[in-house]
Amino acid sequence: MALTQVSSNKCAGGFQKVFEHESTELKCKMKFAVYLPPKAETDKCPVMYWLSGLTCTEQNFITKSGSQLAAAEHGIIIVAPDTSPRGCGIEGEDENWDFGTGAGFYVNSTQDPWKTNYRMYAYVTEELPKLINANFPTDPDRMSVSGHSMGGHGALICALKNPGKYKAVSAFAPICNPMQCPWGQKAFAGYLGSDRSTWEAYDATVLAASYSGPQLDILIDQGQDDQFLSASQLLPDNLIAVCSEKKIPVVFRLQPGYDHSYFFIYSFIGDHIKHHAKYLNA
């Protein structure tokens, strides 16, 4: 699995890099960003995977979040993949901002014409970690996952579907109950088909209800002035209610005045990386 370096920039004492490779799961070229903290020059480091939201590429997080300072401080490698396959030649792939290109929703599609390429769940949980562990100074037993919006949904399902695989999980404004919101219903119908029972495998609220595994401490930040919260796209209350019932620890912080943007992520990313470091560096 050959990697091609696209860019490399000195940042916070380490290096912010972007690579390209041929994905076997997605059957196209994919880019991902990787931040290597100074500690990576001499030691193996834990990895935090960051999953971005609708319309994003690997660039949004690395240029807007300011995550490198906290990652350097705590000695954590951060990997930020793209959000979907690109340039696959699928009819309609570029017609919608919330479906197709830039909107993989971190599921393994089962429906034509998407099922050949749109396998983002397998990509972020299996192919990408193998690639990272083979090419960078990582400790494969210490990884965690975080994300924003659609990527917050992705982070939560990765952790809930794989008990013990991720040492920590956090999310900014995640889509908590996609089966019950317009974004999720559109994506799941297109990628997974009309049988709603198949959607349950990718809904954090449903997965939390049947979770059994090591204790998972979840950190969620949500902007109180987030337009998508008021539009009933995110539905955090549904997830919190289930986690409370199942005694899954959740720290849910409703942040007054903050919206859905990267200004919100920038403001609290340090807290999230500290949360991950607590478990990754234990």
Side-chain angles (χ1 to χ4, degrees), residues 224-269:
Q224 194 167 10
D225 288 6
D226 187 328
Q227 67 272 37
F228 301 115
L229 179 64
S230 58
S232 298
Q233 293 281 20
L234 306 178
L235 304 174
D237 292 349
N238 297 3
L239 175 62
I240 293 162
V242 169
C243 287
S244 176
E245 189 179 314
K246 291 287 292 183
K247 296 183 169 52
I248 299 171
V250 179
V251 173
F252 178 77
R253 308 192 305 186
L254 191 62
Q255 303 288 8
Y258 286 91
D259 58 20
H260 201 73
S261 71
Y262 262 86
F263 296 109
F264 167 52
I265 298 169
Y266 178 91
S267 301
F268 300 105
I269 190 64

Side-chain angles (χ1 to χ4, degrees), residues 31-55:
K31 287 180 182 174
F32 65 86
V34 57
Y35 177 69
L36 299 170
K39 191 177 180 183
E41 292 181 15
T42 54
D43 296 299
K44 291 188 174 183
C45 296
V47 183
M48 183 185 102
Y49 288 85
W50 171 270
L51 306 182
S52 289
L54 289 163
T55 75

Side-chain angles (χ1 to χ4, degrees), residues 1 4 12 25 60 63 95 110 113 116 131 146 207 260 273-274:
M1 294 187 284
T4 302
E25 284 288 357
N60 298 70
T63 57
E95 286 181 5
T110 57
T116 299
L131 193 65
S146 185
L207 291 168
H260 201 73
I273 291 173
K274 188 176 180 180

Side-chain angles (χ1 to χ4, degrees), residues 81-92:
D82 201 348
T83 54
S84 78
R86 292 184 189 265
C88 297
I90 301 170
E91 186 178 349

Side-chain angles (χ1 to χ4, degrees), residues 190-207:
Y191 296 136
L192 303 174
S194 58
D195 180 359
R196 290 177 63 96
S197 67
T198 65
W199 301 5
E200 295 178 357
Y202 298 105
D203 186 301
T205 299
V206 176
L207 291 168

Side-chain angles (χ1 to χ4, degrees), residues 21-30 84-90 114-120 123 127:
H21 73 108
E22 289 285 347
S23 168
T24 54
E25 284 288 357
L26 309 181
K27 296 177 173 57
C28 68
K29 276 188 176 177
M30 286 294 286
S84 78
R86 292 184 189 265
C88 297
I90 301 170
W114 310 98
K115 66 183 182 184
T116 299
N117 305 98
Y118 277 67
R119 295 180 49 79
M120 284 299 294
Y123 178 71
E127 182 180 2

Side-chain angles (χ1 to χ4, degrees), residues 43 99 149:
D43 296 299
F99 185 80
S149 195

